[in-house]
Amino acid sequence: MKNRYLTLLLLVLLFTLPSLFPDNESRYEQWSKSLLCPVCQGETIYDSPSEYADDMGAILLEQINKGLTDDQIYTFWVSRYGERIITNPINRNLEILFIPLTLVFGFVLLFVRKLYVKK
Amino acid sequence: MIYNTGIIFSWISFVLLVILFFNKKEIYTEILVRLNLFVQVFLFCLLEIGLFLNDFSISYIANYSAESTPPLYKFASLWGSLDGSILLWNLCLSFFMYLYLKSYKDLSSDIDIKIFSLIMIFFVGYTVFSSSPFAGCIELAAVGCNNASLLPFQELVTSNIGRGPNPLLQNHPLMAIHPPMLYIGYVGMTMPFVAATSRLYSKKQNANDWIEVAEKTTYIPWLFLTIGITLGAAWSYEVLGWGGYWAWDPVENVSFIPWLLATAFLHSAKIQKSQNTLLNWNYILVGLMFLSTIFGTFVTRSGVLISVHAFSNGNIGTYLLFGMILFGIIFIVIGSKNVEYFSNSKKIDNWFGKAGFFVYNNIFLFSSALVIFIGTIFPLIYETLYDRQITIGRSYYDILVGPLLVILLGLMIFSNKLTIKNLNINKWFKENMILINSSLAISILTLLTFDNSYILVVTVAASFMLILITVDNLFKNFRKSKINKTYWTGQIAHLGIAIFAFGIILNVSQSYSTEKEINSFEEFTFNNQTYFVYDSIEESFPEKNVIKLPISNQNTTKFTSLNIFNNSSQQAISSPAVFRTFKNDVYITVKFIDENSYKLIVRNNYGIFIMWIGLFVSSISFVPRLSKNEK
């Protein structure tokens, strides 16, 4: 039985780690990871080594240092390049999460129903 | 000369396959299959000869090779673009047809060879009717060839120099290995498809034999696909200096989808063999595996999606779409003939027994494939529906696929000792208590030095548990001859995945990067280490100019370089300098050079070496299978 308490203790310890040592991503990092570099075939400006991405990054950094809100930054980039510049459209268009989740859920339901025996 | 011979022999191969399709006499089957293989090998060699002789009267060679291209990349240029890669595809296909005939043929009927030849007619047909790597150049472009003819004995024009391969493709010897590995994996998926459809078409009493053959024939392509994807990741990370190994790029996704489906099938086939359940599901998986490889080729080659891998289109998109529909119909018709047989499929009694766990495995693997598929085609659908362009990026996959893969990791922990009856969770806990506690303790100690998040904590704990339990199991039981060797294949593969999971979660959650502007003979500090930058060295090769920048850290000097290719309008390619330790890589690429000042991207990438170890362990999981026959 002692072992069980130890397991429990370890689990509690483990799950307090995220609040003790949190992962802080800077706003610049978050945004640069979600902005597409329009000339680089599907890379974000965070990943791309091109000069174009560099220039975009400089503008982005300036915006963040000025303290622009997420909405303002979003509007700025979308008005210039269209929606496809945002690689992380999940906060805006919920159907992007909703459609695959529904399909997966439907699939699981159907799959399990076919295999389940009523007792 | 090569042009005429190539075109004529493509036709010969086509005719041979048509004869094979209509052939009724068994004695001719083998001759025809052998002849076809011979012709395909000949065509392959012929195009290689053309490439080495710089025969620029052939459009493909003029457009994708150059006189200055080094020999290895000349060799690899054969699969450097669409038409040539279809030639390699056909070679693989005819080899697999021969292998199938020799090892897996259904001796009571020849319908399998008919289906096989039909598939091959489809692919050879493309080179004969639509676009051939042997097509002769009839109109020159400024560099290379503008217009080509598929007919033999035309008046040809020869360009003086070739355009040369895409610079990305002549940067590293892996180009010669990675694509063929993937191709073998892709093309090999034809074998289980043929095995399943043909054996169910000629439905016999002992109808379950299809699953045996389908499983055996899936393992080979699965292995090559695993190696191919791994090499691709290594190439893009170690050489191309993209900084990443996996970008959820559409083309990467479509190679991952068949892998996920095949992995699901390799598991569920086992359950069908032992418990006669999931019959219909396995049939569906085999079909989807095959169709997903054609879909993958369609996505790569049709130009419907933007990707670093996509190469020029032509009309192959519609052609492949037609093929998908054709083979899809064959698959559905044969399936619907067997509705009665499929209804024998047993239901699941023990949801916490072996069958239950394998069902969860299939649910999560298939769901991952489904989510990735939707993510890949979503931009297309969205544009059609709303007339707006969107991009699906990493966060979509992080949110949707990440958790599914973590659950799969958790499920694997139970894989070492599954019984048909339900798992007794109390007993399992008691037996593994020490291992569980120690893995939790190790996880806590490891994670103390990192920035944490819940997904990181769960993944690390699960992977340590899986590693400890599997290693313990290997030490205690590996020598026992009673246990089936394929069991150990599975266990070693799981161990590799556990190591890989630990590496990748560290990489995803801990890595960071920064930019440094620096001059020659100056030093900078990064991650408590000092790096000294020397002066750059310029080297000239016939096909490219390389600017190398030596950087040293504690007596080791590495080069990061910019490769600027002649004959190419594309941007320069930077290769990284990688300072590697077990825990992390310091990964330096040049972004910009101006006289003797440089702009460097310096990344601290965690877990890469651990990931490579994991993938290597998974790749050698086939070793226990080799000794299977000795027993």
Side-chain angles (χ1 to χ4, degrees), chain B residues 160 174 207 340 360 456 548-549:
Chain B
N160 294 327
L174 269 174
E340 209 175 314
Y360 305 140
L456 171 70
K548 282 172 137 182
L549 185 64

Side-chain angles (χ1 to χ4, degrees), chain B residues 44 48 51-52 65 69-80 176 180:
Chain B
F44 180 91
E48 286 296 358
L51 282 162
F52 278 98
S65 180
T69 310
L72 182 70
Y73 303 108
K74 266 188 189 160
F75 181 73
S77 286
L78 187 131
W79 50 85

Side-chain angles (χ1 to χ4, degrees), chain A residues 76-88:
Chain A
F76 173 87
W77 292 104
V78 168
S79 65
R80 275 160 184 77
Y81 294 95
E83 257 181 308
R84 61 177 281 267
I85 195 81
I86 310 288
T87 64
N88 177 13

Side-chain angles (χ1 to χ4, degrees), chain B residues 9-22:
Chain B
F9 272 85
S10 302
W11 270 99
I12 292 176
S13 171
F14 185 77
V15 172
L16 283 173
L17 288 162
V18 173
I19 299 173
L20 182 62
F21 182 72
F22 289 106

